[in-house]
Amino acid sequence: MLWIDFLRKKADDFDLSPSQTEVFLLRFDEENKQKAEREIEELVLEKLTLNKQAYIQRRKGIYDKFTWSKQKPKGCNELINAGPHKAERLREWLEIKYAVEAAARDWRGQFRSLIEDKTKDFVGRQYVFEDIAKFLTKNPKGYFIIEGDPGIGKSAILAEYVRQTGCVVHFNVQGQYETAKEFLKTLCTELLNRYQLTSMTLPDDAKQYGAFLDQLLAETALNRNGKQVVIAIDALDEVDRSSHNSNDNILYLPRYLSEGIYFVMTRRRGVEIPFITDAPQQLFKLMDYENQSREDVCTYIQNRINGSESLRQRIVERGETEAEFIEKIAEKSENNFMYLVYVLQDIEQGLYKDLSLERFPQGLQQYYEFHWRHMGMTAKPLPVSKINTVYHLAESHQPISCQLISEYVGEQQLTVQELLDEWEQFLHKPIIEGETCYSIYHASFRDFLHRKDIVQAAGVSLKTIKKQKSDNLWEAMFGDE
């Protein structure tokens, strides 16, 4: 993307008026970068036939629209106290954004669509980003770990951080990118390309992975030209532990780091992860920031209301004011963003019209129980086909097609497809070799399905399902022999 096209995009993103846009494009044109402010002002006045007062007014409007605020979390924070240096600060910010977006467009990584999905309705969390920035400033190297419960927004925070900074990233996605080998492949590809390192080949022997990563990071440190190297890793708790030697750190992360190397990582609270380091580290506990999280939750709900006529109509039908609705749903959510994604979508679609907000499920796990019953999964007699379909998805370590699920559960494809459509909001649907495949969208739903009381009530045997999948795989590979 050319610089001028980038400026047009930013003018549109920040809702500049047509008159502000023409000043913005001319003021920050690449040809004017080295010119003095007075020279640029004279140029703008002449080309746009403006008087000085009109120019000053439009310029002020531009700065106001670009300045960061809680309502504009993607704005320029540096403009707040810039004084007479606003033009310089805004140009610097624009150049950083341009470089980051260019890097994102050039990524050879496989996570672009995931990042777009996670950051689509992102709000707030400025306090997290500020703490990361402080850690990077205060320490010559180290590990910054974000910890929180399922659904609280860890992956979204990491995705937004990557979107803002363009740093190297690896998402551990169960069934797709969850092994140490996948992580090292991602990291090796990104670092080789970004820092023009000598070619390195991932060893076949997993016992050499640790030494390989040490060498990769050491060479990166030598080629970083004084700049910090930040590597983001999501969901350490989702890593397939069977891909590790028992005595090594998770993903073979080094105990000692070269100067200038930083990791920003996320993990679930309460999950033991093998990780020992002598490098500086900080554990950022999201659950300790209840007030800030509640504020972000309320902003998220308000944004969803502002962007949805049908949701506003549902609130009116319920006889609630927007403020009452936001307060009640925020309270029920327990600051869980995954809860909000599901519940607001349900309300928007007209579900639970006869259920008062006071009677809505409390927290994410209760929501899953509530929806499980609502979808008839506890009916008598039990809906065996529905239950088998959902559990086969939960036990699949790779996204699988409708056809394969139908073979597992012994149902026609049309029947299985109807069931998949019913559970669409809980499913991820990647296209693999031209065919739509399905997997559980969020690990918290898989946790719910694995709860002992739910398994027993559903009348399923996880061992039987796993054996059936293993038998089908064996048959597909070797036939009936």
Side-chain angles (χ1 to χ4, degrees), residues 3 24 28 62-63 66-67 76 78-79 82 85-96:
W3 173 254
F24 175 69
F28 292 99
I62 292 168
Y63 295 148
F66 270 95
T67 300
C76 177
E78 290 80 359
L79 283 174
H85 304 290
K86 282 187 167 62
E88 294 174 48
R89 299 292 87 80
L90 182 55
R91 176 176 283 280
E92 290 168 359
W93 181 84
L94 288 167
E95 288 176 347
I96 291 170

Side-chain angles (χ1 to χ4, degrees), residues 159-199:
E160 177 63 14
Y161 181 74
V162 171
R163 192 196 67 78
Q164 290 183 16
T165 65
C167 69
V168 175
V169 64
H170 180 81
F171 288 86
N172 291 294
V173 181
Q174 193 168 57
Q176 291 178 273
Y177 311 112
E178 60 184 344
T179 67
K181 184 176 183 178
E182 290 291 345
F183 163 69
L184 292 173
K185 283 166 58 180
T186 299
L187 202 58
C188 186
T189 300
E190 289 293 334
L191 295 179
L192 285 175
N193 281 287
R194 293 190 185 211
Y195 298 97
Q196 290 80 52
L197 307 182
T198 54
S199 181

Side-chain angles (χ1 to χ4, degrees), residues 43 66 75-76 86 130 221 304 306 308 321 327 391 404 475:
L43 177 68
F66 270 95
C76 177
K86 282 187 167 62
E130 288 172 358
R304 286 284 281 108
N306 293 345
S308 172
T321 67
E327 180 62 30
Y391 270 94
L404 189 55
E475 185 176 336

Side-chain angles (χ1 to χ4, degrees), residues 402-416:
C402 176
Q403 179 183 341
L404 189 55
I405 298 170
S406 69
E407 292 175 5
Y408 283 150
V409 301
E411 292 284 351
Q412 294 184 354
Q413 272 189 245
L414 182 60
T415 302
V416 171

